[in-house]
Amino acid sequence: MLPLNFNHLYYFYIVAKAGSFSDAARELNVSQSSISVQIRQFESYLGHKLFNRLKKGVELTESGAVVFQFSEEIFHDVDRIWNDLEAIERQIKGSLAIGTINSFGIYALPGLLKEFTTSFPEVKVSVHFGAPRQLADMLQGGKVDIAIVSGSRRYAGLTAVALRETKMFLVARPDHPLASRETVHPRELENHPFIGYEEESETRMMMDAFFRRMSLSIEYALESSNVATIKHMVMAGLGLSILPELAVGEEIREGRLVRIDVQGLYMAQKLTLYYKTNRTLTPTRREFLNFMQREFGAEREHGAERRVKRD
């Protein structure tokens, strides 16, 4: 037996409820002849007459009454399906796995999560740290739902939403020889040790690019992949470093670190939010994306999210 035609069943259901072909046609916004064709096809398919035609409408046959009873249950369940789906669309709950870099995860994300989870207390958030490439792999592998990283690289299968830039500052302890200077010539940096990020990280590449442009020979006394560690090394007097404003803004305001202005030095860390292109955003993920865009004034490239197709 061929599968039941759902349209046939629905047309039958509406005619049975309306009590006439003409009233059903008006409700469905179709012609009366179209309904008649559908009902004839349905009766032929079932091998049973479903309606007795009267002068002023129709009445159900015994077979028609049986079909109507089941159709009523079916369409009641259909209504429940739509209602339940709409309820799911309104629910912001469940798990949300966020992958992020150290600087953002330590200094910016906690306050943001406080605000988000206050509004949506049924969302259970987990935070995972890593380098940008590692986080992209985790996102592609389904280990996190959203990744927030520095830089704006293209990753296969990921959609990128650019967040605002974060300025980077050269900082030192207040008692550092360069701390009292209004401006410093780049060449003077060669006389002082630096604390560097791990090689191949975006910030390290930005620093090295500046030093090369200025033809400087800089000594990295220490290296670390952790922004908080680098900051505390600077505060301990182990060297200079370039750190994001969100990591050192409080220390600069309180006088525990000093920002050093260097001629020709301007660095900014681009923050980008990524999510998997071919994975449907749940209401919770969509709400968090919207929340981040509101908080950071995110601008999508050319008015739309940048679709990333290659690494």
Side-chain angles (χ1 to χ4, degrees), residues 67-94:
V67 175
F68 180 73
Q69 180 181 350
F70 282 103
S71 67
E72 223 176 9
E73 294 175 5
I74 289 169
F75 289 111
H76 176 69
D77 287 341
V78 169
D79 287 340
R80 286 180 57 196
I81 289 171
W82 285 115
N83 290 337
D84 287 352
L85 288 174
E86 288 175 359
I88 289 173
E89 285 296 317
R90 293 191 295 268
Q91 289 179 346
I92 309 299
K93 61 188 295 186

Side-chain angles (χ1 to χ4, degrees), residues 105-172:
I106 294 171
Y107 297 105
L109 190 58
L112 293 167
L113 289 182
K114 172 64 176 176
E115 183 175 346
F116 184 77
T117 56
T118 297
S119 298
F120 306 104
E122 293 189 65
V123 177
K124 306 303 180 186
V125 179
S126 60
V127 179
H128 308 264
F129 291 96
R133 176 70 261 185
Q134 179 186 7
L135 292 169
D137 291 341
M138 292 172 67
L139 186 55
Q140 290 162 334
K143 294 181 180 178
V144 296
D145 301 312
I146 284 174
I148 303 167
V149 306
S150 56
S152 54
R153 286 188 60 187
R154 299 187 172 192
Y155 297 104
L158 302 185
T159 296
V161 179
L163 305 178
R164 66 184 179 214
E165 292 185 338
T166 298
K167 293 178 181 179
M168 306 285 290
F169 297 149
L170 177 65
V171 293

Side-chain angles (χ1 to χ4, degrees), residues 49-64:
K49 185 178 180 181
L50 302 176
F51 292 108
N52 289 318
R53 275 68 171 176
L54 307 175
K55 287 184 178 180
K56 294 184 179 181
V58 295
E59 67 176 9
L60 290 167
T61 64
E62 184 178 353
S63 296

Side-chain angles (χ1 to χ4, degrees), residues 258-278:
V258 174
R259 174 185 172 184
I260 299 174
D261 290 325
V262 179
Q263 296 172 18
L265 174 61
Y266 176 82
M267 287 176 57
Q269 187 182 68
K270 293 181 179 179
L271 290 174
T272 304
L273 183 149
Y274 294 91
Y275 61 88
K276 205 167 183 179
T277 302
N278 62 0

Side-chain angles (χ1 to χ4, degrees), residues 178-195:
L178 299 179
S180 61
R181 302 275 299 279
E182 277 194 23
T183 58
V184 172
H185 190 278
R187 186 65 60 190
E188 296 178 79
L189 300 179
E190 291 183 317
N191 302 322
H192 303 278
F194 269 74
I195 302 166

Side-chain angles (χ1 to χ4, degrees), residues 7 12 28 34-35 37 41 57 71 73-74 88 125-126 176 178 180 182 195 225 240-241 289 295 303 308-309:
N7 279 339
F12 161 79
L28 293 168
S34 175
I35 290 183
V37 169
Q41 290 175 345
S71 67
E73 294 175 5
I74 289 169
I88 289 173
V125 179
S126 60
H176 191 278
L178 299 179
S180 61
E182 277 194 23
I195 302 166
S225 61
L240 302 170
S241 194
L289 172 61
E295 290 296 313
V308 179
K309 296 183 180 179

